[in-house]
Amino acid sequence: MTQKMDVDAILQKSENHEFINGEEIAFLFSLSPFSRESALVRAMSYQKSQECNQGWAEVHAQVGLNISPCSKNCLFCAFAAKNQVFKERVKLSVEEAVQMTSQFERDGANAIFLMATADFDFCEFLETTTEIKRNLRKDTVLVANVGDFSLEEAKKLKDVGFSGVYHAVRLGEEKITRIPVKRRLETFLNAKEVGLSLGTCVEPVGPEHTVEELVEKTLITREAAPVYSGAARRIPIPNTELARHGIVSEARMAHILAVVRVALPKSIPGNCTHEPNVVGVASGSNLLWAEVGSNPRDPEKQTERARGLDVGTCRKMFEEAEVNVLNGPSLMYQSPSSN
């Protein structure tokens, strides 16, 4: 930055419900994660996350329904056909999906995500969801993590029982993916139009991404008015093009997710980080995920045997950071931002 800014003044604006501008966000991103100023940013992030979700953190859980070489070719993803990690098409049976979601419900997950690759058959996704929903409690929150969808498809997701969707404009969208940014933003609007809450994130962050790119995606998430945002780092998939860039440290990611929280209004209750880690929670993340089945960051077919964590482990991370974990259905999907 060409001009020295006052971190305390920027944080006061955030505390006073004022939007900090792009230049101020860029200044905060440029701080060293080991500086006094970063400590102030992370402390403010922690405080805001405590305030925004009524003092509670949440553990959400995701079931990956299928494995398939995906035509969208997002280079950071294990499913990308170009990456040649998975060459076969595999999917969970409905019975397996029901068992996994029911277990997450028993484990105390505050919301359950169903994830499928972007080219998974939409009608089959709805059919599977219908059977899953029939076997869960009525108040269990279901969230869809699928490819882009039309307004008509958004209505069907709502009708079948979803409370919300996860969707993001990724770092490098259109350049390292085959998905237009415009299409991503249209999906945001389609979800909102039918009353599906939007969850999003600044992701997947790699060492090569610039401050300007981080600012751009932060402003996109703020404008989208989601129920949660946050930041997630890219996990390198071995022997792929992006693996040469390496990985951002958890310390740096903690600073990044804190800046995102500070840049967002208090009307957005959630601030996520992924994959789960204690330093991220101590820096203001109030949302972590447990995972089973397929995982776009994992070359293993069953992520629960590799990268994926369970609900209990995520809850323990919150406890280590002295954060209280909610029991019962997600508050984030009952917030004003979800309406």
mmCIF file with all atom_site columns, all heavy atoms in Angstrom, residues 124-135:
data_model
loop_
_atom_site.group_PDB
_atom_site.id
_atom_site.type_symbol
_atom_site.label_atom_id
_atom_site.label_alt_id
_atom_site.label_comp_id
_atom_site.label_asym_id
_atom_site.label_entity_id
_atom_site.label_seq_id
_atom_site.pdbx_PDB_ins_code
_atom_site.Cartn_x
_atom_site.Cartn_y
_atom_site.Cartn_z
_atom_site.occupancy
_atom_site.B_iso_or_equiv
_atom_site.pdbx_formal_charge
_atom_site.auth_seq_id
_atom_site.auth_comp_id
_atom_site.auth_asym_id
_atom_site.auth_atom_id
_atom_site.pdbx_PDB_model_num
ATOM 1   N N   . GLU A 1 124 ? -32.025 -37.163 -10.159 1.00 0.00 ? 124 GLU A N   1
ATOM 2   C CA  . GLU A 1 124 ? -31.570 -38.199 -9.221  1.00 0.00 ? 124 GLU A CA  1
ATOM 3   C C   . GLU A 1 124 ? -31.184 -37.577 -7.883  1.00 0.00 ? 124 GLU A C   1
ATOM 4   O O   . GLU A 1 124 ? -31.441 -38.156 -6.816  1.00 0.00 ? 124 GLU A O   1
ATOM 5   C CB  . GLU A 1 124 ? -30.394 -38.967 -9.812  1.00 0.00 ? 124 GLU A CB  1
ATOM 6   C CG  . GLU A 1 124 ? -29.928 -40.126 -8.944  1.00 0.00 ? 124 GLU A CG  1
ATOM 7   C CD  . GLU A 1 124 ? -28.833 -40.956 -9.582  1.00 0.00 ? 124 GLU A CD  1
ATOM 8   O OE1 . GLU A 1 124 ? -28.466 -40.672 -10.746 1.00 0.00 ? 124 GLU A OE1 1
ATOM 9   O OE2 . GLU A 1 124 ? -28.342 -41.881 -8.906  1.00 0.00 ? 124 GLU A OE2 1
ATOM 10  N N   . PHE A 1 125 ? -30.581 -36.399 -7.927  1.00 0.00 ? 125 PHE A N   1
ATOM 11  C CA  . PHE A 1 125 ? -30.237 -35.690 -6.697  1.00 0.00 ? 125 PHE A CA  1
ATOM 12  C C   . PHE A 1 125 ? -31.495 -35.399 -5.883  1.00 0.00 ? 125 PHE A C   1
ATOM 13  O O   . PHE A 1 125 ? -31.517 -35.593 -4.661  1.00 0.00 ? 125 PHE A O   1
ATOM 14  C CB  . PHE A 1 125 ? -29.502 -34.394 -7.032  1.00 0.00 ? 125 PHE A CB  1
ATOM 15  C CG  . PHE A 1 125 ? -29.030 -33.615 -5.834  1.00 0.00 ? 125 PHE A CG  1
ATOM 16  C CD1 . PHE A 1 125 ? -27.894 -34.013 -5.139  1.00 0.00 ? 125 PHE A CD1 1
ATOM 17  C CD2 . PHE A 1 125 ? -29.720 -32.496 -5.405  1.00 0.00 ? 125 PHE A CD2 1
ATOM 18  C CE1 . PHE A 1 125 ? -27.451 -33.300 -4.025  1.00 0.00 ? 125 PHE A CE1 1
ATOM 19  C CE2 . PHE A 1 125 ? -29.291 -31.782 -4.300  1.00 0.00 ? 125 PHE A CE2 1
ATOM 20  C CZ  . PHE A 1 125 ? -28.156 -32.175 -3.609  1.00 0.00 ? 125 PHE A CZ  1
ATOM 21  N N   . LEU A 1 126 ? -32.544 -34.960 -6.544  1.00 0.00 ? 126 LEU A N   1
ATOM 22  C CA  . LEU A 1 126 ? -33.796 -34.669 -5.847  1.00 0.00 ? 126 LEU A CA  1
ATOM 23  C C   . LEU A 1 126 ? -34.421 -35.936 -5.272  1.00 0.00 ? 126 LEU A C   1
ATOM 24  O O   . LEU A 1 126 ? -34.956 -35.935 -4.152  1.00 0.00 ? 126 LEU A O   1
ATOM 25  C CB  . LEU A 1 126 ? -34.787 -33.988 -6.795  1.00 0.00 ? 126 LEU A CB  1
ATOM 26  C CG  . LEU A 1 126 ? -34.403 -32.603 -7.326  1.00 0.00 ? 126 LEU A CG  1
ATOM 27  C CD1 . LEU A 1 126 ? -35.484 -32.098 -8.272  1.00 0.00 ? 126 LEU A CD1 1
ATOM 28  C CD2 . LEU A 1 126 ? -34.179 -31.617 -6.200  1.00 0.00 ? 126 LEU A CD2 1
ATOM 29  N N   . GLU A 1 127 ? -34.365 -37.012 -6.020  1.00 0.00 ? 127 GLU A N   1
ATOM 30  C CA  . GLU A 1 127 ? -34.934 -38.278 -5.549  1.00 0.00 ? 127 GLU A CA  1
ATOM 31  C C   . GLU A 1 127 ? -34.197 -38.773 -4.301  1.00 0.00 ? 127 GLU A C   1
ATOM 32  O O   . GLU A 1 127 ? -34.827 -39.226 -3.333  1.00 0.00 ? 127 GLU A O   1
ATOM 33  C CB  . GLU A 1 127 ? -34.858 -39.325 -6.664  1.00 0.00 ? 127 GLU A CB  1
ATOM 34  C CG  . GLU A 1 127 ? -35.797 -39.048 -7.844  1.00 0.00 ? 127 GLU A CG  1
ATOM 35  C CD  . GLU A 1 127 ? -35.522 -39.947 -9.032  1.00 0.00 ? 127 GLU A CD  1
ATOM 36  O OE1 . GLU A 1 127 ? -34.613 -40.814 -8.916  1.00 0.00 ? 127 GLU A OE1 1
ATOM 37  O OE2 . GLU A 1 127 ? -36.187 -39.788 -10.068 1.00 0.00 ? 127 GLU A OE2 1
ATOM 38  N N   . THR A 1 128 ? -32.873 -38.684 -4.335  1.00 0.00 ? 128 THR A N   1
ATOM 39  C CA  . THR A 1 128 ? -32.086 -39.100 -3.176  1.00 0.00 ? 128 THR A CA  1
ATOM 40  C C   . THR A 1 128 ? -32.403 -38.227 -1.970  1.00 0.00 ? 128 THR A C   1
ATOM 41  O O   . THR A 1 128 ? -32.566 -38.713 -0.845  1.00 0.00 ? 128 THR A O   1
ATOM 42  C CB  . THR A 1 128 ? -30.585 -39.028 -3.501  1.00 0.00 ? 128 THR A CB  1
ATOM 43  O OG1 . THR A 1 128 ? -30.297 -39.876 -4.605  1.00 0.00 ? 128 THR A OG1 1
ATOM 44  C CG2 . THR A 1 128 ? -29.746 -39.448 -2.300  1.00 0.00 ? 128 THR A CG2 1
ATOM 45  N N   . THR A 1 129 ? -32.514 -36.926 -2.203  1.00 0.00 ? 129 THR A N   1
ATOM 46  C CA  . THR A 1 129 ? -32.831 -35.996 -1.125  1.00 0.00 ? 129 THR A CA  1
ATOM 47  C C   . THR A 1 129 ? -34.184 -36.298 -0.500  1.00 0.00 ? 129 THR A C   1
ATOM 48  O O   . THR A 1 129 ? -34.350 -36.237 0.721   1.00 0.00 ? 129 THR A O   1
ATOM 49  C CB  . THR A 1 129 ? -32.815 -34.552 -1.648  1.00 0.00 ? 129 THR A CB  1
ATOM 50  O OG1 . THR A 1 129 ? -31.533 -34.266 -2.208  1.00 0.00 ? 129 THR A OG1 1
ATOM 51  C CG2 . THR A 1 129 ? -33.126 -33.566 -0.534  1.00 0.00 ? 129 THR A CG2 1
ATOM 52  N N   . THR A 1 130 ? -35.160 -36.627 -1.329  1.00 0.00 ? 130 THR A N   1
ATOM 53  C CA  . THR A 1 130 ? -36.497 -36.931 -0.828  1.00 0.00 ? 130 THR A CA  1
ATOM 54  C C   . THR A 1 130 ? -36.458 -38.087 0.166   1.00 0.00 ? 130 THR A C   1
ATOM 55  O O   . THR A 1 130 ? -37.093 -38.039 1.229   1.00 0.00 ? 130 THR A O   1
ATOM 56  C CB  . THR A 1 130 ? -37.441 -37.273 -1.990  1.00 0.00 ? 130 THR A CB  1
ATOM 57  O OG1 . THR A 1 130 ? -37.522 -36.136 -2.871  1.00 0.00 ? 130 THR A OG1 1
ATOM 58  C CG2 . THR A 1 130 ? -38.829 -37.632 -1.495  1.00 0.00 ? 130 THR A CG2 1
ATOM 59  N N   . GLU A 1 131 ? -35.685 -39.114 -0.168  1.00 0.00 ? 131 GLU A N   1
ATOM 60  C CA  . GLU A 1 131 ? -35.594 -40.273 0.721   1.00 0.00 ? 131 GLU A CA  1
ATOM 61  C C   . GLU A 1 131 ? -34.811 -39.927 1.986   1.00 0.00 ? 131 GLU A C   1
ATOM 62  O O   . GLU A 1 131 ? -35.162 -40.374 3.088   1.00 0.00 ? 131 GLU A O   1
ATOM 63  C CB  . GLU A 1 131 ? -34.931 -41.440 -0.015  1.00 0.00 ? 131 GLU A CB  1
ATOM 64  C CG  . GLU A 1 131 ? -34.940 -42.747 0.745   1.00 0.00 ? 131 GLU A CG  1
ATOM 65  C CD  . GLU A 1 131 ? -36.339 -43.274 1.028   1.00 0.00 ? 131 GLU A CD  1
ATOM 66  O OE1 . GLU A 1 131 ? -37.293 -42.866 0.338   1.00 0.00 ? 131 GLU A OE1 1
ATOM 67  O OE2 . GLU A 1 131 ? -36.473 -44.106 1.952   1.00 0.00 ? 131 GLU A OE2 1
ATOM 68  N N   . ILE A 1 132 ? -33.755 -39.135 1.839   1.00 0.00 ? 132 ILE A N   1
ATOM 69  C CA  . ILE A 1 132 ? -32.988 -38.701 3.011   1.00 0.00 ? 132 ILE A CA  1
ATOM 70  C C   . ILE A 1 132 ? -33.864 -37.879 3.941   1.00 0.00 ? 132 ILE A C   1
ATOM 71  O O   . ILE A 1 132 ? -33.888 -38.102 5.164   1.00 0.00 ? 132 ILE A O   1
ATOM 72  C CB  . ILE A 1 132 ? -31.751 -37.889 2.566   1.00 0.00 ? 132 ILE A CB  1
ATOM 73  C CG1 . ILE A 1 132 ? -30.712 -38.814 1.924   1.00 0.00 ? 132 ILE A CG1 1
ATOM 74  C CG2 . ILE A 1 132 ? -31.136 -37.128 3.742   1.00 0.00 ? 132 ILE A CG2 1
ATOM 75  C CD1 . ILE A 1 132 ? -29.557 -38.092 1.271   1.00 0.00 ? 132 ILE A CD1 1
ATOM 76  N N   . LYS A 1 133 ? -34.576 -36.928 3.379   1.00 0.00 ? 133 LYS A N   1
ATOM 77  C CA  . LYS A 1 133 ? -35.436 -36.050 4.175   1.00 0.00 ? 133 LYS A CA  1
ATOM 78  C C   . LYS A 1 133 ? -36.481 -36.852 4.942   1.00 0.00 ? 133 LYS A C   1
ATOM 79  O O   . LYS A 1 133 ? -36.808 -36.549 6.096   1.00 0.00 ? 133 LYS A O   1
ATOM 80  C CB  . LYS A 1 133 ? -36.120 -35.035 3.247   1.00 0.00 ? 133 LYS A CB  1
ATOM 81  C CG  . LYS A 1 133 ? -36.965 -33.986 3.954   1.00 0.00 ? 133 LYS A CG  1
ATOM 82  C CD  . LYS A 1 133 ? -36.115 -32.997 4.715   1.00 0.00 ? 133 LYS A CD  1
ATOM 83  C CE  . LYS A 1 133 ? -36.963 -31.885 5.312   1.00 0.00 ? 133 LYS A CE  1
ATOM 84  N NZ  . LYS A 1 133 ? -36.168 -30.977 6.168   1.00 0.00 ? 133 LYS A NZ  1
ATOM 85  N N   . ARG A 1 134 ? -36.997 -37.887 4.331   1.00 0.00 ? 134 ARG A N   1
ATOM 86  C CA  . ARG A 1 134 ? -38.036 -38.712 4.958   1.00 0.00 ? 134 ARG A CA  1
ATOM 87  C C   . ARG A 1 134 ? -37.518 -39.415 6.207   1.00 0.00 ? 134 ARG A C   1
ATOM 88  O O   . ARG A 1 134 ? -38.294 -39.746 7.111   1.00 0.00 ? 134 ARG A O   1
ATOM 89  C CB  . ARG A 1 134 ? -38.538 -39.748 3.943   1.00 0.00 ? 134 ARG A CB  1
ATOM 90  C CG  . ARG A 1 134 ? -39.789 -40.501 4.357   1.00 0.00 ? 134 ARG A CG  1
ATOM 91  C CD  . ARG A 1 134 ? -40.232 -41.456 3.273   1.00 0.00 ? 134 ARG A CD  1
ATOM 92  N NE  . ARG A 1 134 ? -39.299 -42.557 3.076   1.00 0.00 ? 134 ARG A NE  1
ATOM 93  C CZ  . ARG A 1 134 ? -39.251 -43.644 3.864   1.00 0.00 ? 134 ARG A CZ  1
ATOM 94  N NH1 . ARG A 1 134 ? -40.087 -43.763 4.879   1.00 0.00 ? 134 ARG A NH1 1
ATOM 95  N NH2 . ARG A 1 134 ? -38.380 -44.606 3.618   1.00 0.00 ? 134 ARG A NH2 1
ATOM 96  N N   . ASN A 1 135 ? -36.203 -39.619 6.276   1.00 0.00 ? 135 ASN A N   1
ATOM 97  C CA  . ASN A 1 135 ? -35.607 -40.352 7.383   1.00 0.00 ? 135 ASN A CA  1
ATOM 98  C C   . ASN A 1 135 ? -34.986 -39.439 8.449   1.00 0.00 ? 135 ASN A C   1
ATOM 99  O O   . ASN A 1 135 ? -34.398 -39.936 9.410   1.00 0.00 ? 135 ASN A O   1
ATOM 100 C CB  . ASN A 1 135 ? -34.542 -41.314 6.861   1.00 0.00 ? 135 ASN A CB  1
ATOM 101 C CG  . ASN A 1 135 ? -35.128 -42.548 6.209   1.00 0.00 ? 135 ASN A CG  1
ATOM 102 O OD1 . ASN A 1 135 ? -35.411 -43.538 6.866   1.00 0.00 ? 135 ASN A OD1 1
ATOM 103 N ND2 . ASN A 1 135 ? -35.348 -42.478 4.893   1.00 0.00 ? 135 ASN A ND2 1
#
